[in-house]
């Protein structure tokens, strides 16, 4: 065993139902990927069992998280082509948390992926419209107003759906929940506009929400298993964040859980109620002046709080959730201007300055790599491959570290393009990105940047290895800190030394004390690692990915 590679990968707290193309997700420390414990249903036809299940589940769900995916669309810079249409929404995700009156074995969250390219839009339009405005179902979303505008535009072209969608209520935006939780934690106001969903998941849930597939072609069929898992996780994580919010609200003591006594007769239809002779007699011999008297007559002789039942519309919403909706619930309303596509101001400004556009187009670099790299000995480098990965390929940075390659990320969370390029040049690194706009900068040198073509991290790793002719050996695997890209100490620590070194920032599991393991520490961030089952699984994974046995 080479002394260079050391790490520990812990088990994931979420497990997806196994699929032929899926691998288990692991985590290191607090940084792990989400694989939600849920059932995923693919809905692409109205006469399918999945569609019937979707309709039933939506009617019984107390909370519904919404997300949508569409094929990335580039707006034209041609002044003669000023019109712009909304993209067609290819996939709608609905993650449902069922109400308390559900069957016991169906209380786990369920995610539906609705294929809007295949399903008859006119048949599902009414179902979605009713769900969007149903008062007894809270809807969650992450900056969903744009998604709703695109979704409305997708349906407007179909017969019977001309009105599209104009509102969602009651609704809570995840950015508002994030702002509330961070304010409680830090005691100061936090801006809601500058955090992505991936960052929010990382800070609140401690998970990494991989976003490599965000810009993939969602119009292509069939979708890959990775795309389906990504889409499901995007909606499911909204439920997880809301659960944290709901727990915090309950802990505050402002809202107490109240069990409203409800007769099972109140869940019956009118026909079923009148089939009961004792109830029928009370209904026939009573004088009614409103709906509440009918409910009282149908209820048993026990004391039932009819007002609370009628106000809640359904027993699926508990008292805590009702209070949350009353206090924090809002709505999305599309104005007429929101439903009409318009070109951005930035594009208009560029169209008015054709000379500037011509200059930008002239300096645009090629997608193909033009070496040699900055670390090459022929250009004064040290011969050691070094990369700088921008935010779009941060997952690739961790993969490169796992195979022993020096892969840094930006010092800033939201760096300017010029700062990225300056850092790469200063540290003699090749900048890796998927952002085509970076290639247009005039101060780039031709061997300073490479645009990664692949979407998935494993494919990206193989692409970079091939383009830059990287030689990977088994001894290099896990030889860098996956957290900060640092190197490990040369001499291993004993268990006692590791416990002492970990005080204050890392906990060593008690189950490791009697295993006589060696611990390795990062010289930069001081993170501790050890060889465990997940370590060996990770080594085997990269042996397979890099084809080191061939």
């Amino acid at each position: 065993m080479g002394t260079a590679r050391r790490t520990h990968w812990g088990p994931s707290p979420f497990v997806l139902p196994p699929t032929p193309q899926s691998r288990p997700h692991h985590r290191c420390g607090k940084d792990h990927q989400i694989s939600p414990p849920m059932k995923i249903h693919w809905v692409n036809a109205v006469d399918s069992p999945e569609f019937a299940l979707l309709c039933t589940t939506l009617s019984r769900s107390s909370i519904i998280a919404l997300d949508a995916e569409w094929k990335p669309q580039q707006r034209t810079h041609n002044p003669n082509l000023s019109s712009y249409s909304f993209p067609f929404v290819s996939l709608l995700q609905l993650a449902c948390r069922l109400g308390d009156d559900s069957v016991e074995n169906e209380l786990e969250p369920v995610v539906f992926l609705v294929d809007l390219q295949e399903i008859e839009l006119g048949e599902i339009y009414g179902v979605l419209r009713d769900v969007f405005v149903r008062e007894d179902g809270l809807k969650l979303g992450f900056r969903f107003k744009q998604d709703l505008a695109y979704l409305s535009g997708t349906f407007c072209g179909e017969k019977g759906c001309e009105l599209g969608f104009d509102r969602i209520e009651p609704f809570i935006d995840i950015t508002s929940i994030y702002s509330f939780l961070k304010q409680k934690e830090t005691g100061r106001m936090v801006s809601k506009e500058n955090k992505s969903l991936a960052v929010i998941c990382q800070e609140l849930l401690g998970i990494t929400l991989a976003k490599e597939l965000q810009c993939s072609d969602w119009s292509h069929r069939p979708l890959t298993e990775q795309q389906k898992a990504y889409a499901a996780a995007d909606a499911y994580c909204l439920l997880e964040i809301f659960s944290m919010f709901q727990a915090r609200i309950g802990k505050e003591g402002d809202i107490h859980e109240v069990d409203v006594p409800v007769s099972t007769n109140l869940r019956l239809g009118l026909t079923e109620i009148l089939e009961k002779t004792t109830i029928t007699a009370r209904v026939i011999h009573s004088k009614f002046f409103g709906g509440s008297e009918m409910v009282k007559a149908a209820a048993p002789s026990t004391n039932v709080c009819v007002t609370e039942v009628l106000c809640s519309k359904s027993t699926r919403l508990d008292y805590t959730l009702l209070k949350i909706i009353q206090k924090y619930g809002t709505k999305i309303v599309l104005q007429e201007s929101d439903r009409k596509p318009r070109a951005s101001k930035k594009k208009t400004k560029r169209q008015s300055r054709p000379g500037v556009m011509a200059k930008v187009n002239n300096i645009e670099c090629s997608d193909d790599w033009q070496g040699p790299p900055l670390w090459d000995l022929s250009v004064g480098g040290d011969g050691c491959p070094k990369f700088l990965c921008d935010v779009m390929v941060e997952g690739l940075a961790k993969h490169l570290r796992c195979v022993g390659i020096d892969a840094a990320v930006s010092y800033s969370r939201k760096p300017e393009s010029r700062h990225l390029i300056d850092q790469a040049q200063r540290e003699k690194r090749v900048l890796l990105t998927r952002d085509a706009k970076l290639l247009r900068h005039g101060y780039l040198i031709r061997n300073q940047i490479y645009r990664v073509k692949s979407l998935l991290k494993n494919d990206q790793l193989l692409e970079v290895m091939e383009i830059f002719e990287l030689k990977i050996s088994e001894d290099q695997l896990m030889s860098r800190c996956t957290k900060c890209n640092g190197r490990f100490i040369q001499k291993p620590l004993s268990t006692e030394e590791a416990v002492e070194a970990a005080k204050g920032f890392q906990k060593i599991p008690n189950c490791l004390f009697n295993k006589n393991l060696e611990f390795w520490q990062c010289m930069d961030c001081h993170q501790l690692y050890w060889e465990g089952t997940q370590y060996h699984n990770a080594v085997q994974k990269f042996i397979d990915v890099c084809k080191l046995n061939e």
Side-chain angles (χ1 to χ4, degrees), residues 217-430:
D217 186 355
W218 292 95
S219 65
H220 180 73
R221 293 294 182 272
L223 295 181
T224 65
E225 293 300 319
Q226 291 90 342
Q227 284 178 302
K228 292 179 181 179
Y230 164 86
D234 251 16
Y236 173 81
C237 69
L238 306 183
L239 294 180
E240 290 291 289
I241 293 172
F242 181 81
S243 295
M244 176 179 289
F245 170 69
Q246 189 173 11
R248 180 61 185 262
I249 292 295
K251 189 177 179 181
E252 293 284 315
D254 297 336
I255 301 175
H256 300 282
E257 185 79 20
V258 176
D259 292 325
V260 180
V262 179
S263 167
T264 55
N265 292 331
L266 296 178
R267 299 178 183 144
L268 302 177
L270 182 59
T271 303
E272 295 169 296
I273 289 177
L274 295 179
E275 286 177 352
K276 295 179 177 287
T277 55
T278 55
I279 297 178
T280 305
R282 289 205 303 274
V283 171
I284 293 175
H285 293 91
S286 299
K287 295 180 179 180
F288 304 114
F289 300 95
S292 60
E293 285 78 7
M294 173 69 82
V295 174
K296 289 178 181 177
S301 58
T302 56
N303 184 24
V304 178
C305 184
V306 177
T307 303
E308 291 186 37
V309 174
L310 292 177
C311 290
S312 67
K313 302 290 183 182
S314 169
T315 58
R316 69 174 67 85
L317 287 183
D318 59 35
Y319 188 75
T320 304
L321 190 53
L322 280 171
K323 285 297 184 181
I324 289 177
I325 292 174
Q326 291 173 5
K327 187 171 183 179
Y328 301 100
T330 59
K331 59 185 176 182
I332 300 177
V333 178
L334 293 182
Q335 304 297 332
E336 191 64 30
S337 58
D338 298 321
R339 299 156 68 95
K340 293 180 179 179
R342 58 186 183 273
S344 70
K345 295 180 180 178
K346 188 174 182 180
K347 297 295 187 293
T348 304
K349 184 176 180 180
R350 286 186 173 180
Q351 291 168 6
S352 64
R353 299 174 61 192
V356 174
M357 276 305 303
K359 181 179 179 182
V360 172
N361 289 333
N362 285 337
I363 63 175
E364 183 169 341
C365 299
S366 170
D367 274 0
D368 297 329
W369 169 247
Q370 302 175 47
L374 296 175
W375 65 74
D376 195 274
L377 296 174
S378 64
V379 292
D382 57 9
C384 299
K386 292 187 286 290
F387 296 96
L388 175 64
C389 299
D390 73 354
V391 67
M392 299 186 74
V393 289
E394 280 188 352
L396 172 60
K398 293 188 177 181
H399 269 43
L400 287 168
R401 294 169 187 174
C402 287
V403 298
I405 301 298
D406 186 346
V409 295
S410 172
Y411 303 129
S412 171
R413 193 66 193 172
K414 284 190 170 183
E416 297 290 337
S417 299
R418 182 60 186 262
H419 295 161
L420 268 176
I421 295 168
D422 287 345
Q423 181 183 346
Q425 191 169 13
R426 184 173 59 252
E427 300 175 4
K428 295 188 181 300
R429 298 179 181 274
V430 169

Side-chain angles (χ1 to χ4, degrees), residues 5 40 86 117 169 313 331 336 358 371 380 385 388 397 408 516 536:
R5 46 186 171 90
I40 302 177
F86 284 153
Q117 292 187 180
E169 59 179 328
K313 302 290 183 182
K331 59 185 176 182
E336 191 64 30
L388 175 64
N516 195 28
H536 293 291

Side-chain angles (χ1 to χ4, degrees), residues 373 375 383-387 400 403-406 432 460-473 476 546 548:
W375 65 74
C384 299
K386 292 187 286 290
F387 296 96
L400 287 168
V403 298
I405 301 298
D406 186 346
L432 299 178
Q460 290 174 346
L461 176 61
L462 293 176
E463 179 183 340
V464 170
M465 288 173 57
E466 179 181 356
I467 293 295
F468 295 94
E469 300 179 351
L470 303 179
K471 305 300 182 184
I472 306 297
S473 66
Q476 289 179 253
C546 300
L548 299 183

Side-chain angles (χ1 to χ4, degrees), residues 161-204:
C161 315
E162 291 83 359
L163 296 178
F165 306 105
D166 64 348
R167 66 180 57 235
I168 296 180
E169 59 179 328
F171 177 83
I172 297 181
D173 196 295
I174 291 300
T175 58
S176 299
I177 293 178
Y178 170 80
S179 180
F180 172 88
L181 293 174
K182 297 303 286 187
Q183 182 180 357
K184 290 291 184 181
E185 179 183 330
T186 63
R188 55 186 176 84
M189 292 294 293
V190 178
S191 172
K192 297 183 293 184
E193 300 301 325
N194 60 355
K195 298 290 184 180
S196 67
L197 182 58
V199 171
I200 290 176
C201 287
Q202 178 68 52
E203 293 188 14
L204 296 184

Side-chain angles (χ1 to χ4, degrees), residues 4-169:
R5 46 186 171 90
R6 317 282 174 203
T7 192
H8 170 266
W9 294 57
S12 170
F14 303 105
V15 180
L16 261 177
T19 61
Q21 301 180 30
S22 65
R23 285 182 177 270
H25 295 300
H26 303 292
R27 63 183 173 93
C28 183
K30 291 185 178 180
D31 187 14
H32 54 282
Q33 285 188 325
I34 185 170
S35 298
M38 62 193 176
K39 298 177 181 177
I40 302 177
H41 298 277
W42 180 259
V43 184
N44 62 354
V46 294
D47 57 353
S48 65
E50 289 79 11
F51 180 76
L53 180 62
L54 169 67
C55 296
T56 302
T57 303
L58 290 177
S59 68
R60 297 165 55 192
S61 297
S62 58
I63 304 175
I64 302 170
L66 304 168
D67 193 27
E69 306 293 345
W70 53 85
K71 180 181 178 180
Q73 183 175 351
Q74 292 186 346
R75 300 187 184 188
T76 178
H77 295 298
N78 190 334
N80 299 322
L81 300 175
S82 57
S83 62
Y84 166 68
S85 61
F86 284 153
F88 185 95
V89 176
S90 301
L91 190 70
L92 177 65
Q93 304 103 279
L94 303 102
C96 305
R97 194 173 88 182
L98 301 181
D100 296 336
D101 59 345
S102 305
V103 180
E104 183 177 354
N105 62 0
E106 293 182 344
L107 289 178
E108 290 295 335
V110 183
V111 177
F112 293 91
L113 305 181
V114 183
D115 185 355
L116 298 182
Q117 292 187 180
E118 297 293 333
I119 201 167
E120 297 178 29
L121 297 182
E123 297 292 337
I124 197 174
Y125 171 70
V127 175
L128 296 178
R129 181 194 57 202
D130 294 343
V131 167
F132 287 170
V133 298
R134 201 185 74 205
E135 296 180 1
D136 61 348
L138 174 63
K139 274 70 68 175
L140 305 174
F142 178 74
R143 299 173 186 158
F144 196 73
K145 187 172 183 178
Q146 182 189 51
D147 300 53
L148 182 61
Y150 290 0
L151 194 63
S152 179
T154 297
F155 277 82
C156 280
E158 294 295 319
K159 185 178 181 180
C161 315
E162 291 83 359
L163 296 178
F165 306 105
D166 64 348
R167 66 180 57 235
I168 296 180
E169 59 179 328

